[in-house]
Amino acid sequence: MAKCDAADSLILKIAVPVPLDRLFDYRPSELGNSAEFQRGARVLVPFGKRQCVGVVMGSANGSTLASRSIKPVIELLDNTPLLSALDLQLLEWAARYYHHPIGEVVATAFPTALRQGLPATLQCERYFAPTAAGRAPDVDLGRATRQKDLLRRMLSREPAWSAAELAGHKPALRALIDKGLVEPRMPDPSDGPVVLGAALAANPDQQAAIDAVGADLGRFAVHLLEGVTGSGKTEVYMQIIARTLALGLQVLVLLPEINLTPQLEQRFRQRFGVGIETFHSNLTDRQRQQAWLSMRAGVARILLGTRSALFTPLREPGLIVLDEEHDGSFKQQDGFRFSARDVAIARAKLLNIPVVMGSATPSLESLANVAQGRYRLSHLPHRAGNAKPPAFQVLDIRGKKLQAGLSEPLVTAIGAELAEGRQVLLFLNRRGYAPVQICHDCGWVSRCHRCDANLVIHAGIHKLRCHHCGYEQALPRQCPACGVGELQALGLGTERIEETLKELFAGHRIVRLDRDTTQCKGALEGYLQQIHRGDADIVLGTQMLAKGHHFPNVTLVAILDIDSGLFSIDFRGGEKLAQLIVQVAGRAGRAELPGRVILQTRHPRHALLHNLLSHGYRAFAETALSERRAAGLPPFGYQALLRAQAGNAGAPQQFLGAAIQCLTDFTQSGVQVLGPVSAPMVRRAGLYRYQILLQSDKRPALQRLLDFWVPRLADLREARSVRWSLDVDPLDLY
DNA sequence: AGCACGCCGACT
DNA sequence: GTCGGCGTGCTC
């Protein structure tokens, strides 16, 4: 065979996880067969002075580079590609759409273990099932009750149990394996009933939704399931999933929060006798690797995961479910800033499968897509079991005396509810004791020296803490400025409300749920169980109360301060507040115990409140959408935000100035360029932050500008002294 | 992002 | 005399 020059022979195009938006050329290897290097396989390559795990994205005959500068691949890590052609197409599309380096985008598709180059081997001992001996009716386990219980449980459900489910029964499992009654065995979708638990009887609305999505199985469609809290969205998901599984297809279920996975996982395991895996940041690298590989191999049929699970390969993709689609945590807020909701839809389109998205408070983006006929809407307007929607009451607190933020009528209402032996839920979106400490004599206030923000009093741990950079210091006893003044806590946080509630309602059990009380693993579950058992009378908390959990014995919900949300600078502030109010309100009540929601405000006649409370979320959304349309804001305009930050204010300003200069050469615009301006909080964690907002009513126009702009930004010399990032479809403009 | 090279201040 | 500061440049 003739020796050929490397530059004329086959060259591999490799995606390397570095922030450089290009592929790198490599020779297959010194002697290797180039046909082995398939698109989607991982390779170990020399990169500068180090080694990187890259992914084969393609090949070419020859290279534009001098052949001597092209290095050979060190090792082919996968004999079969880990990602399919469609998976790679999705990643390539996402890299282009978000203008993010391809190597980093491809890396996000892999769990950490595979990113590090570990072998892609699926452990057999992930699943266990009773053997023929274990199935025999006359198994005698004597007095080994734990083993007996475990075997009985395992026999109750086919076909196989995952290691995760059996984690709490290791000794009994070991013993059963040693006795030959249980063996490691991969589940086979054909070896047992797929649906175990009986489906609940669907009401007509649920049935219509199930049928609508069911009719679209096997083709691309987006369904928006708008269902009030407690309307049985999960049952609809499960019945559609059952149909998908019956076709021998897999399901990807995306949730906004890790907190919500355990509950749903439990319900799914009771219903479905198939391999179910979870994928979220609370799992170990190894668990995530195994979950990923199980879905890729088709061993597991359902994956429950957060944003990071979106790119998991599916052997037989059938359906994507995305719950709480309005939730902001589907948008990645650093690095590769993708929206898992939008990319999920792009993925479904590529795979030609349907997506079902659900929410009680759909995003305005999704409602606009429904109006334009791109998404199909199914509506579940009724709560299950004839539960009535909560009654809202706006409590005007102007001029009223407040006791730690609680007005007298509210205190009375809480007392009346407690006297009836019912639970009360109080919501305040501010944790800590008080948002600032102030000296009554000299006016000193507790400021963070790294951020344009106040230090928050955390009385429980005797500290002042910055919620933006994490800085903390001991709570001063004397004024650091004048040394003599009396220090006061200004404003309210959940800790302080808790203190007041303890005085006002002594003898009642109060549970506070916020990031501070639930940061410990398992703490949230513990509190939730306590509340469900009825061992709590007053539940007090922040944001996290609005998410997913239902408190059937709660009859009164109070939102202590909505005014800060009414006058947000962010154009999405109104949408977020309306969603919050509806979501918090949805936590309460059931059929025989209707809920009541009290909102304390100094703006009882505010249009948003009036519209939302008298006419409902959809009416609010209509109004908000027409305002957005008039202003050309999303979803009627498309945005991208260029951010820059550095330790001094000059560098980001100069960089953004130069970035604007680049655009003078770009004539075919149709894009508004707003800025550079400082971020609403200029200094954060010691960095000065500035930004440029781009807006256009045509997505292609914005994309054309970014195609021109982003490569040039990377080459600016001013870019070297700042950290910059581009956010396409930003959710927060700061 | 890493990781090198490269030229100027306070230390065993 | 050196250790180490972060500016600058490169990665197939």
Side-chain angles (χ1 to χ4, degrees):
Chain A
M1 195 162 88
K3 239 184 170 182
C4 56
D5 193 318
D8 299 325
S9 58
L10 191 99
I11 293 298
L12 298 168
K13 299 282 186 186
I14 308 294
V16 180
V18 289
L20 300 168
D21 194 14
R22 67 188 99 129
L23 297 172
F24 291 84
D25 293 354
Y26 286 88
R27 275 183 279 137
S29 64
E30 293 298 298
L31 297 162
N33 175 2
S34 57
E36 291 168 9
F37 291 83
Q38 295 180 58
R39 194 167 134 85
R42 293 173 304 153
V43 286
L44 188 64
V45 293
F47 193 76
K49 299 280 171 183
R50 63 209 163 105
Q51 296 185 350
C52 289
V53 175
V55 174
V56 181
M57 298 303 283
S59 56
N61 279 310
S63 165
T64 53
L65 276 93
S67 77
R68 59 178 317 231
S69 62
I70 301 177
K71 298 176 183 175
V73 167
I74 295 168
E75 192 187 351
L76 175 63
L77 296 171
D78 304 307
N79 290 317
T80 53
L82 290 190
L83 296 177
S84 70
L86 290 176
D87 295 335
L88 292 167
Q89 247 180 295
L90 179 70
L91 293 166
E92 287 165 335
W93 170 82
R96 277 198 307 277
Y97 182 80
Y98 290 102
H99 296 268
H100 198 78
I102 182 70
E104 292 194 340
V105 171
V106 169
T108 56
F110 292 96
T112 315
L114 295 176
R115 234 179 277 174
Q116 290 165 347
L118 293 176
T121 43
L122 187 56
Q123 285 308 110
C124 274
E125 300 221 346
R126 281 287 289 167
Y127 289 94
F128 301 88
T131 59
R135 274 163 223 277
D138 56 345
V139 181
D140 183 15
L141 282 165
R143 291 180 295 117
T145 49
R146 277 165 197 265
Q147 293 172 42
K148 240 190 276 183
D149 287 349
L150 183 61
L151 185 60
R152 194 181 316 122
R153 269 185 64 203
M154 290 183 72
L155 284 167
S156 74
R157 195 195 84 190
E158 294 281 337
W161 289 65
S162 74
E165 286 177 273
L166 299 167
H169 309 275
K170 282 234 174 82
L173 179 64
R174 201 72 258 164
L176 289 170
I177 291 169
D178 291 344
K179 290 173 185 171
L181 302 172
V182 168
E183 63 183 352
R185 187 156 67 86
M186 288 293 183
D188 179 343
S190 64
D191 73 0
V194 161
V195 178
L196 304 165
L200 304 176
N203 66 35
D205 296 320
Q206 287 176 316
Q207 195 58 52
I210 294 161
D211 292 339
V213 186
D216 280 331
L217 287 177
R219 63 166 178 250
F220 171 65
V222 185
H223 288 261
L224 178 65
L225 186 56
E226 182 183 10
V228 299
T229 318
S231 62
K233 283 195 295 292
T234 307
E235 184 59 31
V236 172
Y237 298 150
M238 291 205 290
Q239 294 200 29
I240 297 165
I241 289 169
R243 289 195 192 183
T244 311
L245 295 173
L247 296 171
L249 302 174
Q250 292 170 289
V251 182
L252 174 61
V253 182
L254 297 172
L255 305 165
E257 303 243 350
I258 319 160
N259 290 338
L260 302 177
T261 26
Q263 315 175 18
L264 203 66
E265 184 186 350
Q266 201 186 357
R267 284 183 72 176
F268 274 43
R269 290 202 188 282
Q270 282 161 4
R271 179 72 65 90
F272 301 116
V274 295
I276 298 174
E277 295 285 351
T278 59
F279 193 102
H280 52 75
S281 60
N282 267 11
L283 302 177
T284 63
D285 287 348
R286 176 157 188 88
Q287 287 172 319
R288 266 177 289 171
Q289 179 200 22
Q290 292 300 313
W292 196 92
L293 290 170
S294 300
M295 289 305 284
R296 176 179 171 272
V299 171
R301 311 303 292 178
I302 301 175
L303 183 67
L304 298 175
T306 50
R307 186 180 69 227
S308 55
L310 169 64
F311 295 102
T312 308
L314 305 172
R315 191 159 188 264
E316 282 130 340
L319 173 72
I320 300 175
V321 175
L322 195 139
D323 197 22
E324 307 295 353
E325 69 76 37
H326 66 279
D327 197 293
S329 50
F330 282 119
K331 175 93 203 236
Q332 183 135 339
Q333 292 293 355
D334 52 69
F336 171 32
R337 298 169 180 260
F338 68 101
S339 156
R341 188 226 297 151
D342 298 348
V343 181
I345 290 164
R347 186 171 189 198
K349 191 165 187 179
L350 274 174
L351 296 173
N352 202 29
I353 61 172
V355 183
V356 189
M357 307 194 299
S359 176
T361 52
S363 62
L364 297 184
E365 278 77 6
S366 292
L367 291 174
N369 277 313
V370 168
Q372 287 159 19
R374 283 207 282 265
Y375 299 176
R376 285 199 52 189
L377 179 72
S378 294
H379 199 198
L380 306 179
H382 306 297
R383 298 178 102 180
N386 290 325
K388 290 196 179 58
F392 287 95
Q393 181 191 344
V394 174
L395 194 54
D396 184 358
I397 54 169
R398 277 177 297 182
K400 292 253 169 63
K401 221 183 99 190
L402 297 177
Q403 196 166 4
L406 307 170
S407 64
E408 223 172 287
L410 178 59
V411 172
T412 310
I414 295 171
E417 221 66 35
L418 293 177
E420 295 284 324
R422 293 169 185 164
Q423 288 177 327
V424 174
L425 192 148
L426 302 181
F427 176 87
L428 179 71
N429 212 0
R430 216 175 301 120
R431 64 196 172 88
Y433 185 83
V436 65
Q437 191 175 40
I438 188 164
C439 174
H440 186 60
D441 285 18
C442 75
W444 169 89
V445 294
S446 55
R447 291 284 288 177
C448 178
H449 61 286
R450 305 169 62 199
C451 307
D452 294 327
N454 293 329
L455 293 172
V456 178
I457 304 177
H458 284 257
I461 52 168
H462 297 287
K463 282 194 166 133
L464 288 176
R465 185 184 274 177
C466 177
H467 286 185
H468 300 280
C469 71
Y471 168 84
E472 59 178 38
Q473 65 176 72
L475 194 62
R477 296 224 216 104
Q478 272 119 36
C479 174
C482 68
V484 293
E486 184 198 340
L487 291 173
Q488 294 183 342
L490 201 64
L492 295 167
T494 47
E495 246 186 280
R496 192 173 197 174
I497 307 278
E498 183 185 25
E499 181 186 85
T500 307
L501 289 170
K502 278 179 178 160
E503 288 165 19
L504 287 172
F505 303 104
H508 286 97
R509 295 154 300 182
I510 299 164
V511 170
R512 174 161 62 93
L513 290 181
D514 55 31
R515 193 129 57 93
D516 302 315
T517 62
T518 59
Q519 61 191 3
C520 200
K521 197 173 148 81
L524 178 64
E525 287 74 40
Y527 285 128
L528 291 174
Q529 279 167 24
Q530 182 186 347
I531 297 162
H532 278 269
R533 280 198 310 271
D535 292 343
D537 304 311
I538 302 177
V539 183
L540 164 72
T542 56
Q543 280 284 315
M544 62 176 59
L545 287 182
K547 303 215 169 162
H549 313 288
H550 189 229
F551 307 106
N553 294 316
V554 166
T555 46
L556 173 63
V557 173
I559 304 179
L560 301 183
D561 175 23
I562 56 167
D563 292 349
S564 45
L566 286 174
F567 303 96
S568 168
I569 35 160
D570 180 359
F571 73 86
R572 278 185 234 266
E575 179 183 3
K576 286 180 191 158
L577 180 67
Q579 288 167 343
L580 188 71
I581 291 172
V582 175
Q583 293 284 349
V584 174
R587 302 305 113 207
R590 58 176 183 210
E592 64 279 24
L593 292 173
R596 179 159 68 115
V597 182
I598 295 178
L599 302 104
Q600 291 195 140
T601 178
R602 290 175 186 83
H603 299 271
R605 307 176 70 87
H606 194 286
L608 185 155
L609 271 186
H610 179 260
N611 200 13
L612 179 68
L613 302 186
S614 342
H615 306 296
Y617 183 78
R618 283 305 285 276
F620 153 78
E622 298 291 329
T623 308
L625 278 169
S626 61
E627 288 167 7
R628 297 268 188 99
R629 186 196 295 274
L633 289 166
F636 303 101
Y638 303 94
Q639 296 181 326
L641 190 65
L642 177 67
R643 297 173 226 252
Q645 56 178 27
N648 63 78
Q653 288 174 307
Q654 278 156 27
F655 166 71
L656 294 176
I660 296 273
Q661 278 299 310
C662 286
L663 286 178
T664 52
D665 302 340
F666 187 78
T667 44
Q668 41 150 353
S669 187
V671 178
Q672 280 184 74
V673 181
L674 305 154
V677 295
S678 59
M681 184 191 292
V682 184
R683 224 161 66 90
R684 183 175 168 153
L687 297 171
Y688 292 82
R689 302 140 70 238
Y690 291 81
Q691 56 197 33
I692 294 172
L693 180 68
L694 303 177
Q695 189 166 301
S696 175
D697 56 358
K698 300 268 190 302
R699 216 198 286 269
L702 181 60
Q703 282 293 334
R704 270 199 304 276
L705 184 143
L706 294 175
D707 288 338
F708 173 88
W709 206 29
V710 178
R712 283 168 175 77
L713 294 176
D715 290 339
L716 287 175
R717 66 180 354 268
E718 289 88 345
R720 290 198 286 244
S721 40
V722 301
R723 290 177 60 109
W724 65 273
S725 67
L726 182 77
D727 193 345
V728 177
D729 304 329
L731 264 191
D732 293 306
L733 298 185
Y734 51 85

